[in-house]
């Protein structure tokens, strides 16, 4: 019996060991441990995902008031299993000379929103006057502002301040979303008291970006080995209205087709409403360019167009009188769907991909229309009926999406992008894109919306629900409430009771057409417990 207990204890210990296995291998480095008073130095962290799920964040905390983090990196989320990344934190040291102990703690957050602690780094930093590492200097001259969709060449200048030869053994560039095309080949020999030059080629992304470029240079000399880090601020402007057709095709690839289509809707719409939706690009572009003058990005331009349509026209809850963007632009009053059509035409006229989406039941494809516009690398949603402007994920977690989800996730209809090419029904089916991302997007939205204790309680409620659509219905409810309302309800009602009520709600409402504003059902749920 004694041996049996021992075996059980060993098995439990092993199982817990597996559960708490860290999700990543972490390596800490410094570029220097000797600095001037108040000098800048860098902690370089390499994270290798050796776990079972993606990593979505890394948070560095330092101990003591003498050191300050002045710049934290943007995490390249998500970091997939088997991938690695290098993150660089910029720190400022103490103002008073002396020897200091720096202790840093790195927390890693995975896709399941678990925080993994235990990555600790301790190092001694010497603060002395004249203590800056001046064995070599590196610089990256040139402009700090460039344009998206371009290849940029930056001169790299390496100066050897020693009276001995320096050997550059490695050059690494951490450039965020800027793609590294070419680096100087290593090793590079820098003679005593000399300077060598090289070129770094980068491809800028087709989006607005404010980032830091870090050059990490490793070198050796007869005095030993060293590491030097240079950081440079770069702003990438993305103004697709300034680009040629050829540049647009290169920048957007296949997505550019949503710029060059000459009509907004397919033939079914045009026959149904007795109108055409042909776009006069030159006429509409003349309208739009003054509105976006000075915009540094496509997102700024899109917001300017959205605000112009909302403030310039009077919206009426009525049917469509025309699909023609040129007639719509000359009208004083328009319907929300006419605003959607005009927005798509405006965006395309300035080289921004845009399309009209609607629910298709196999016969009709005019229900629940809204706009998708491709901005700085992701799809955004514009819905003039509800004055909504946000990312696709924002829309999925809004009060207006559940009615669309019921059509495509419960009733079996399709969500399609209208792709006019001369056929009556010409669509690109986006149903699976939306349905497959709904639950995950709603969970992420709640994770960011409520406190950790409430989020745990929500997960407990979901665990007691049977079907996927019951869970999604519950998530729609919680996302429709204000954070304080959600926290208050879950503090008063236990998971068992609340899950039972939500099941009853779902069974009653699932096959009845949902209200456009899903908050109606959240308020009914609150009333149940008042």
């Amino acid at each position: 019996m004694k041996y049996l207990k021992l075996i059980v204890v060993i098995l439990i210990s092993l199982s817990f060991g597996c559960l708490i296995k860290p999700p990543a291998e972490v390596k800490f480095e410094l570029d220097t441990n000797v600095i001037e008073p108040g000098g800048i130095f860098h902690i370089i962290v390499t994270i290798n995902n050796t776990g079972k799920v993606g990593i979505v964040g890394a948070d560095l905390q330092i101990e003591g008031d003498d050191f300050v983090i002045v710049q934290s990196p943007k995490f390249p989320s998500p970091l997939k299993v088997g991938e690695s990344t290098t993150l660089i934190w910029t720190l400022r040291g103490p103002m008073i000379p002396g020897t200091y102990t720096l202790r840093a703690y790195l927390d890693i957050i995975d896709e399941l929103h678990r925080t993994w602690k235990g990555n600790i780094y301790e190092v001694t930093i010497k603060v002395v006057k004249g203590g800056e590492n001046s064995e070599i200097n590196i610089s990256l001259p040139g402009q700090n502002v460039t344009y998206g969709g371009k290849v940029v060449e930056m001169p790299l200048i390496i100066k050897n301040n020693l009276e001995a030869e320096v050997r550059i053994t490695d050059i690494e560039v951490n450039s965020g979303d800027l793609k590294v095309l070419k680096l100087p080949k290593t090793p590079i020999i820098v003679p005593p008291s000399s300077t060598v030059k090289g070129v770094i080629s980068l491809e800028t992304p087709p989006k607005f970006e404010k980032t830091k470029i870090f050059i990490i240079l490793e070198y050796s000399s007869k005095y030993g080995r060293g590491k030097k880090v240079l950081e440079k601020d770069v702003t990438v402007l993305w103004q697709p209205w300034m680009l040629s057709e050829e540049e647009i095709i290169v920048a957007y690839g296949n997505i550019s087709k949503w710029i060059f289509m000459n009509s907004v809707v397919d033939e079914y719409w045009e026959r149904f409403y007795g109108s055409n939706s042909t776009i006069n690009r030159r006429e509409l572009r003349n309208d739009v360019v003054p509105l976006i003058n000075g915009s540094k990005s496509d997102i700024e331009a899109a917001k300017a167009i959205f605000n112009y349509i909302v403030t310039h026209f009077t919206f009426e809850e009525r049917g469509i009188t025309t699909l023609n963007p040129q007639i719509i632009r000359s009208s004083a009053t328009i319907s929300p769907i006419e605003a959607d059509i005009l927005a798509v035409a405006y965006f395309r006229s300035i080289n921004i991909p845009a399309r009209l989406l609607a629910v298709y039941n196999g016969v009709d494809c005019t229900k629940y229309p809204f706009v998708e516009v491709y901005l700085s690398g992701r799809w955004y949603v514009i819905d003039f009926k509800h004055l909504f402007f946000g990312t696709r994920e924002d829309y999925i977690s809004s009060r207006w999406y559940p009615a669309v989800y019921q059509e495509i996730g419960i009733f079996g209809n399709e969500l399609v992008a209208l792709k006019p090419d001369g056929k009556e029904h010409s669509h690109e089916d986006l149903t699976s894109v939306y349905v497959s991302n709904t639950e995950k997007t709603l969970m992420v939205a709640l994770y960011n919306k409520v406190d950790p204790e409430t989020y745990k309680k929500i997960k407990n409620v979901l665990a007691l629900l049977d079907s996927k659509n019951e869970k999604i219905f519950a998530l729609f409810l919680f996302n429709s409430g204000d954070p304080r309302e959600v926290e208050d309800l879950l503090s008063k009602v236990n998971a068992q009771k609340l899950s039972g009520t939500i099941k009853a709600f779902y069974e009653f409402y699932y096959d009845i057409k949902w209200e456009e504003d899903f908050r109606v059902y959240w308020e009914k749920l609150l009333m149940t417990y008042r």
Side-chain angles (χ1 to χ4, degrees), residues 84 164 233 270 300 394 412-413 418 453:
S84 63
D233 291 305
E270 294 189 346
E300 283 186 19
D394 292 336
N413 295 322
L418 304 180
E453 187 60 33

Side-chain angles (χ1 to χ4, degrees), residues 169-188:
T169 55
D170 187 55
I171 298 174
E172 181 182 345
V173 177
N174 190 320
S175 55
D177 290 334
L178 279 68
K179 183 180 179 182
V180 179
L181 300 179
K182 185 180 179 182
L183 291 174
K185 291 183 179 179
T186 56
I188 300 171

Side-chain angles (χ1 to χ4, degrees), residues 50-336:
T50 56
K52 296 182 178 180
V53 297
I55 296 173
V56 297
D59 182 34
L60 187 78
Q61 302 291 332
I62 56 175
E63 191 175 279
D65 299 329
D66 298 310
F67 296 94
V68 178
I69 296 176
V70 296
Q71 179 75 36
S72 296
K74 177 183 174 184
F75 195 85
S77 179
L79 184 67
K80 297 178 182 178
V81 175
E83 293 182 345
S84 63
T85 189
T86 299
L87 304 175
I88 301 173
W89 277 264
T90 304
L91 282 75
R92 178 177 288 113
M95 296 299 298
I96 301 172
T99 300
Y100 296 82
T101 298
L102 170 66
R103 187 175 288 109
Y105 305 88
L106 184 74
D107 293 344
I108 293 175
I109 301 98
D110 67 19
E111 283 184 317
L112 302 178
H113 304 299
R114 298 175 299 187
T115 299
W116 298 81
K117 299 179 180 293
N119 299 293
I120 303 172
Y121 180 56
E122 186 172 312
V123 67
T124 299
I125 301 290
K126 292 183 179 179
V127 179
V128 296
K129 290 182 179 180
E132 182 183 355
N133 175 7
S134 56
E135 292 182 340
I136 65 169
N137 292 332
I138 53 176
S139 60
L140 204 64
Q143 294 184 347
N144 291 71
V145 178
T146 185
Y147 291 89
K150 304 284 187 181
V151 173
V152 180
E153 291 195 341
M154 295 185 174
L156 175 65
I157 300 173
I158 306 170
K159 183 180 179 182
N160 178 7
N161 297 317
L162 296 174
E163 294 182 357
E165 180 181 275
V166 167
R167 181 184 178 91
I168 309 300
T169 55
D170 187 55
I171 298 174
E172 181 182 345
V173 177
N174 190 320
S175 55
D177 290 334
L178 279 68
K179 183 180 179 182
V180 179
L181 300 179
K182 185 180 179 182
L183 291 174
K185 291 183 179 179
T186 56
I188 300 171
I189 305 300
V190 188
S193 305
S194 299
T195 298
V196 298
K197 296 180 180 180
V199 174
I200 295 174
S201 293
L202 302 169
E203 183 178 22
T204 57
K207 64 178 182 178
F208 179 80
E209 181 93 5
K210 273 191 171 182
T211 189
K212 277 187 180 291
I213 295 175
F214 289 91
I215 311 295
I216 308 168
L217 190 145
E218 294 184 13
Y219 65 93
S220 64
S221 70
K222 69 178 185 180
Y223 302 108
R225 305 182 66 85
K227 191 183 290 275
K228 189 81 171 180
V229 175
L230 171 73
E231 55 184 85
K232 180 183 178 73
D233 291 305
V234 174
T235 299
V236 179
L237 305 182
W238 180 234
Q239 300 168 318
W241 52 92
M242 303 292 289
L243 302 181
S244 67
E245 182 175 324
E246 292 76 18
E247 289 174 318
I248 284 295
I249 291 171
V250 170
Y252 285 118
N254 189 49
I255 292 173
S256 64
K257 69 186 177 185
W258 298 106
I259 295 173
F260 301 118
M261 292 176 187
N262 292 320
S263 298
V264 177
V265 299
D266 61 14
E267 284 200 359
Y268 178 85
W269 275 64
E270 294 189 346
R271 181 172 57 81
F272 188 86
Y273 290 107
S275 177
N276 76 78
S277 61
T278 303
I279 301 169
N280 185 325
R281 295 177 186 278
R282 180 174 295 181
E283 184 177 330
L284 296 177
R285 182 182 174 88
N286 290 339
D287 276 0
V288 175
V289 169
L291 301 176
I292 61 174
N293 187 31
S295 295
K296 296 178 180 179
S297 71
D298 52 354
I299 296 177
E300 283 186 19
K303 288 179 179 177
I305 292 171
F306 177 80
N307 291 335
Y308 169 76
I309 292 175
V310 168
T311 57
H312 183 74
F313 298 95
T314 300
F315 282 25
E316 289 185 346
E317 285 294 331
R318 57 167 173 79
I320 293 174
T321 59
T322 181
L323 301 175
N324 190 314
Q326 290 69 235
I327 296 176
I328 295 171
R329 67 177 276 273
S330 302
S331 305
T333 60
I334 61 176
S335 69

